[in-house]
C-alpha cells in the first residue's frame, strides 16, 4: 500500500494541484489509517486486504480517534482523505472500498470567525513593529500583517509573494488553493509600508526573490510570522484567537460591515464557493442581534 499512497500523493500534488500543506495532512491521515488497520488485523495491509476492510473496521478506526481526543474537525478531514484515496484507488487501480459508502462524517459544530475590532487591528498595526529585536524586522512584521489585513490573503499566499509586488501598480497576482490565481488590489498605504521595509532590509530584494525574508535572509516561514504575532498578543493581553489567519477574517468582516458585497469579498478572498463567504453575513447578523439586545428598551428583559 505504501507505493499506492506515494502515487496518490504525487497525483494530488501534480495533477490536482493540492497545496503542499493539504497533501502533507492527507498523507499523515491515510498513514494513520493504515497503521491502525495493521494493528487492528495484526498484519500489514495489502491491496487485496484493503478491499475487504468492512464498515465496522472503519468505525473502529473512528472510535479509536475519538478515544484519542481527536477533534471532530480533524476526524472529518481524515475521513475526507480516506474517501479521496479510495476514489483514486478505484479509478486508477480498480481497488474498491465499497464499505466506505456506509460511513457518515462526524458532525462539526459551525463556529463563527473571531475578527479583531477596529481598535485592536489599528493598535496592532501601529505597535507590532516595536516588538521586534531589530528595526528592519519590526518594519517587516508591520508590512506583512498590514498586507494580511488589507488584502485578506492567506499567510501562505503572502509568504509566496516576490519582490515584483512593488512594481505591479496597485494590484498583485495571487496564487491560492488549487493553483487558482486572482487579482487583489493593493492599497497605497500598504505599498508604502512594504517599500520602507525593503529599504531597511539588509538583504537584497529583487523582483525574483521572496518579498518577505527571515533574519538570515531566507524566505520568511509561517512559524516565524505566527510567533511574532503570538509574542505581541501575549504582551498586550489579547486572546489566543488573534492569529495571522484572524487578520484575513478581520479584513472580510470589516468589508462586510461597510459594503455587504458578498460576491466581491468572495473574489477577494479566493473562495471557490460563495457558501464559504456567507459565514461573514452570519457574523454581521450576530453583531446586529447583539447591538439590538444592548440598545433596545426591552432588550434586557
Amino acid at each position: 500500500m505504501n507505493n499506492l499512497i506515494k502515487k496518490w500523493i504525487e497525483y494530488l500534488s501534480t495533477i490536482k494541484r493540492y497545496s503542499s500543506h493539504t497533501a502533507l495532512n492527507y498523507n499523515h491521515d491515510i498513514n494513520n489509517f493504515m497503521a491502525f488497520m495493521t494493528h487492528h488485523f495484526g498484519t500489514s495491509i495489502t491491496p487485496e486486504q484493503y478491499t475487504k476492510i468492512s464498515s465496522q473496521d472503519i468505525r473502529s478506526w473512528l472510535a479509536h480517534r475519538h478515544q484519542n481526543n481527536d477533534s471532530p474537525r480533524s476526524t472529518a478531514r481524515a475521513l475526507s482523505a480516506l474517501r479521496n484515496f479510495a476514489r483514486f484507488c478505484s479509478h486508477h487501480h480498480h481497488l474498491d472500498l465499497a464499505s466506505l459508502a456506509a460511513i457518515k462524517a462526524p458532525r462539526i459544530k459551525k463556529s463563527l470567525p473571531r475578527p479583531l475590532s477596529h481598535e485592536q487591528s489599528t493598535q496592532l498595526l501601529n505597535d507590532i513593529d516595536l516588538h521586534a529585536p531589530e528595526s528592519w524586522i519590526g518594519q517587516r512584521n508591520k508590512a506583512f500583517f498590514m498586507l494580511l489585513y488589507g488584502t485578506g490573503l492567506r499567510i501562505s499566499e503572502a509568504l509566496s509573494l516576490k519582490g515584483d509586488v512593488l512594481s505591479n501598480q496597485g494590484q498583485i497576482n495571487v496564487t491560492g488553493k488549487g493553483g487558482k490565481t486572482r487579482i487583489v488590489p493593493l492599497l497605497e498605504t500598504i505599498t508604502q509600508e512594504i517599500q520602507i521595509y525593503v529599504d531597511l532590509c539588509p538583504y537584497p530584494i529583487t523582483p525574483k526573490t521572496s518579498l518577505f525574508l527571515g533574519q538570515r535572509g531566507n524566505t520568511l516561514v509561517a512559524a516565524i510570522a505566527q510567533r511574532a504575532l503570538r509574542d505581541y498578543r501575549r504582551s498586550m493581553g489579547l486572546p489566543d484567537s488573534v492569529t495571522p489567519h484572524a487578520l484575513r477574517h478581520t479584513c472580510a468582516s470589516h468589508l462586510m460591515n461597510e459594503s455587504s458585497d458578498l460576491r466581491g469579498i468572495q473574489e477577494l478572498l479566493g473562495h471557490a464557493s460563495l457558501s464559504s463567504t456567507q459565514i461573514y453575513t452570519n457574523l454581521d447578523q450576530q453583531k446586529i442581534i447583539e447591538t439590538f439586545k444592548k440598545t433596545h428598551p426591552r432588550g434586557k428583559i
Side-chain angles (χ1 to χ4, degrees):
M1 294 303 293
N2 287 337
N3 189 40
L4 279 175
I5 294 173
K6 289 180 181 179
K7 290 181 178 180
W8 171 59
I9 293 299
E10 184 179 354
Y11 169 78
L12 294 182
S13 301
T14 59
I15 305 301
K16 302 298 289 184
R17 302 183 70 180
Y18 278 32
S19 70
S20 58
H21 180 72
T22 300
L24 185 66
N25 283 335
Y26 272 27
N27 184 56
H28 171 79
D29 291 334
I30 206 66
N31 277 295
N32 171 272
F33 172 78
M34 291 300 173
F36 173 83
M37 289 301 164
T38 295
H39 182 267
H40 183 65
F41 288 109
T43 183
S44 297
I45 303 301
T46 64
E48 182 181 0
Q49 179 115 33
Y50 161 80
T51 62
K52 296 179 180 178
I53 293 175
S54 69
S55 57
Q56 186 57 49
D57 296 328
I58 298 174
R59 290 192 181 97
S60 296
W61 169 61
L62 296 176
H64 174 73
R65 291 184 61 90
H66 180 72
Q67 291 171 357
N68 284 349
N69 295 319
D70 289 320
S71 69
R73 187 175 299 276
S74 174
T75 296
R77 187 199 68 196
L79 191 55
S80 175
L82 179 58
R83 293 190 196 281
N84 194 305
F85 178 69
R87 285 196 301 271
F88 172 81
C89 289
S90 177
H91 294 165
H92 297 276
H93 299 278
H94 307 291
L95 295 171
D96 293 326
L97 186 59
S99 59
L100 188 56
I103 304 298
K104 294 183 179 180
R107 290 185 177 182
I108 301 174
K109 182 180 179 181
K110 290 186 177 180
S111 59
L112 293 175
R114 298 181 183 178
L116 282 69
S117 66
H118 283 284
E119 294 75 16
Q120 288 175 328
S121 56
T122 299
Q123 184 178 16
L124 186 155
L125 298 177
N126 285 339
D127 297 345
I128 189 71
D129 58 321
L130 304 177
H131 295 253
E134 299 180 49
S135 59
W136 78 269
I137 293 178
Q139 182 60 34
R140 179 203 67 194
N141 293 344
K142 181 177 183 178
F144 183 75
F145 293 124
M146 183 176 285
L147 177 69
L148 296 186
Y149 171 64
T151 61
L153 294 185
R154 301 177 179 91
I155 187 171
S156 58
E157 294 170 345
L159 291 174
S160 67
L161 294 177
K162 302 296 182 182
D164 60 0
V165 163
L166 292 172
S167 60
N168 284 348
Q169 299 181 343
Q171 63 183 32
I172 50 178
N173 294 316
V174 178
T175 302
K177 287 186 175 181
K180 295 179 180 179
T181 60
R182 66 187 189 276
I183 297 176
V184 176
L186 189 63
L187 298 174
E188 180 62 27
T189 52
I190 301 175
T191 301
Q192 291 172 356
E193 295 297 338
I194 293 176
Q195 185 63 65
I196 295 173
Y197 148 66
V198 170
D199 292 340
L200 290 175
C201 183
Y203 305 104
I205 297 176
T206 70
K208 294 185 178 181
T209 63
S210 295
L211 175 60
F212 294 104
L213 303 179
Q215 193 165 13
R216 297 182 179 179
N218 298 320
T219 301
L220 182 65
V221 296
I224 299 300
Q226 290 163 344
R227 186 174 67 187
L229 191 51
R230 182 173 65 246
D231 291 345
Y232 169 80
R233 76 169 182 247
R234 287 176 176 174
S235 68
M236 301 299 292
L238 294 173
D240 291 345
S241 58
V242 178
T243 63
H245 198 68
L247 292 175
R248 174 174 162 87
H249 291 317
T250 303
C251 171
S253 61
H254 288 181
L255 285 174
M256 181 62 69
N257 289 340
E258 296 295 330
S259 70
S260 297
D261 181 4
L262 196 62
R263 183 67 68 179
I265 295 173
Q266 177 194 7
E267 293 178 359
L268 178 71
L269 298 181
H271 284 159
S273 170
L274 192 61
S275 62
S276 299
T277 315
Q278 285 175 330
I279 191 171
Y280 298 107
T281 64
N282 297 332
L283 192 66
D284 195 37
Q285 290 167 359
Q286 185 186 53
K287 181 180 178 182
I288 292 172
I289 292 171
E290 290 174 353
T291 301
F292 176 83
K293 289 180 177 179
K294 289 179 182 178
T295 60
H296 195 279
R298 303 186 67 85
K300 296 181 180 180
I301 293 178

